[in-house]
Amino acid sequence: MSTQATHAQQAVVDKVIEIEILRYRPEQDEKPFPQGFEIPYHPDMSILEALQYIKDHLDSSVSFRWSCRMAICGSCGLMVNNIPKLGCKAFLRDYYPQKVTLEALANFPIERDLVVVMDDFIKKLEEIKPYIIPERDEKCLSEGTYQQTPEQMEKYAKFSMCINCGLCYSACPQYGLDKSFTGPAALALLARYNRDSRDAGSAERMKIVNQEQGVWSCTFVGYCSVVCPKGVDPAAAIQLLKVESSKDYLIGMFKPD
Amino acid sequence: MSKRKPYRREMNNDWWLKNIFYSKYMIREGSSIFITLYSLILAWGVFRLSQGEEAFNAWLSALQHPVSIVFHLLVLLIALYHTITWFSLAPKAVDLYIKGKPLDGKLIVAGHYITFTIVTIFCLIVIML
Ligand code: SF4
Ligand code: FES
């Protein structure tokens, strides 16, 4: 809290920035409404720090999620001027002197203020079997680890960087229109395991990929990859899975099993 | 008792106008309507050809109408937009590795343009001859 205190002291003569938050308090509000705040402006202040300033000094009832403050826990996602961002990775200096509007992540139900209900997203991550399914189960510990070359790792490394922040679901109009779509992060995670040389679970996961709600709900808008704070590139993962799915289909035509 | 009451925001029909990225995407998708119309005109020409020389010449002269020329210019622009935006996305669907390193996206895009140019020149030559 001490950094906030010094912020407050320095700020007396300093500039001010306007922050508008879409509030929603389920126990008293029928629907969300915007509330404006004015806080001292610092170029090195993140959106998350701005929210913490508001909570500490102006309105303690404002709710938002955060933990690591360094773009690794994935809990601080929100809409900044209608674009999905991590609050800890977006800075006031990129908006000042304009007003900043904050809203809960799009395409998710609002639990309270900036907190969303992520259950559907988590369920989808779990559904794609996000663990290595080895060729044979009974490999003994004494036989050592499963080994991999740097080249084999390169095949999936990018898709394994996801921090489950959900920004890509917020950026995806197909998910917005149809919540049954498996969606960008879950499909990227699926690709991450299918492309891992130690994994032998591809056939099981391709059943999810091949569904209408799998990769074929994606129309390649591509915004998921733009907003992703970790360079995961889910759009690429999905296009590569479409190629695999088409191969599956063609092979299935000739040797149905 | 739980006070939970998750609020679902509706997605309005104008969602794609609120963000320039979505608008560009919609134009890319919408361009296929014009490209379909263009192919229908071509298909109509083939049909007229099957009806004999007179019918085909009538089709040709209809194409010279100013409205038709404006339409074709418009379709050309839209088709170029579609091509350029589509080519720029191409690296995402390519899974090529050279010596364990993924192939540079710029090379993939360049490859598309080179192929496009060669095919275009080839078609022009065939049509002119
Ligand atoms: S793919 Fe990127 S945007 Fe999507 S949840 Fe993972 S880190 Fe967040
Ligand atoms: S607080 Fe952890 S990602 Fe922002």
Side-chain angles (χ1 to χ4, degrees), chain A residues 19-112:
Chain A
I19 311 261
E20 189 183 284
I21 302 178
L22 192 74
R23 300 292 310 269
Y24 175 62
R25 299 156 302 177
E27 68 283 1
Q28 45 186 314
D29 301 329
E30 265 318 300
K31 58 182 201 324
F33 66 95
Q35 185 181 1
F37 297 94
E38 281 191 348
I39 66 160
Y41 165 75
H42 291 279
D44 60 351
M45 201 177 195
S46 67
I47 300 283
L48 176 61
E49 286 173 307
L51 283 169
Q52 288 168 327
Y53 181 92
I54 293 171
K55 193 167 177 77
D56 289 346
H57 299 275
L58 304 174
D59 186 339
S60 61
S61 72
V62 177
S63 299
F64 52 96
R65 283 193 182 121
W66 62 281
S67 175
C68 71
R69 301 172 269 99
M70 49 192 280
I72 206 67
C73 74
S75 44
C76 65
L78 76 177
M79 306 300 281
V80 183
N81 291 353
N82 262 321
I83 295 181
K85 298 263 182 199
L86 292 180
C88 65
K89 204 172 179 251
F91 291 87
L92 293 184
R93 59 173 174 269
D94 296 323
Y95 303 93
Y96 183 83
Q98 260 74 48
K99 176 173 93 175
V100 180
T101 60
L102 304 179
E103 181 177 336
L105 276 183
N107 297 344
F108 292 102
I110 305 180
E111 181 78 61
R112 168 187 295 275

Side-chain angles (χ1 to χ4, degrees), chain A residues 74 86 118 121 125 159 161-169 184-186 188-189 224-225 227-234:
Chain A
L86 292 180
M118 284 213 140
F121 174 55
L125 289 174
F159 302 140
M161 303 309 284
C162 177
I163 58 171
N164 305 344
C165 63
L167 301 199
C168 50
Y169 281 69
L189 190 64
C224 53
S225 293
V227 302
C228 175
K230 291 309 215 182
V232 173
D233 205 351

Side-chain angles (χ1 to χ4, degrees), chain A residues 24 26 29 31-32 103-105 108-111 151 154-155 171 173 176 195 219-221 223 233 236 240, chain B residues 3-9 11 15 19 21-22 25 28-29 86 89 92-95 97 99-102:
Chain A
Y24 175 62
D29 301 329
K31 58 182 201 324
E103 181 177 336
L105 276 183
F108 292 102
I110 305 180
E111 181 78 61
E151 281 81 18
E154 181 75 38
K155 287 255 178 197
R195 297 166 69 82
T219 54
F220 209 172
V221 179
Y223 203 40
D233 205 351
L240 295 175
Chain B
K3 293 267 202 298
R4 282 191 72 183
K5 197 178 73 189
Y7 184 86
R8 273 164 226 281
R9 289 159 286 177
M11 213 162 137
W15 61 270
N19 180 324
F21 196 96
Y22 293 148
Y25 156 78
R28 192 189 86 205
E29 294 289 287
W86 194 249
L89 290 171
K92 293 211 188 297
V94 177
D95 199 16
Y97 291 79
K99 294 200 190 111
K101 290 253 174 293

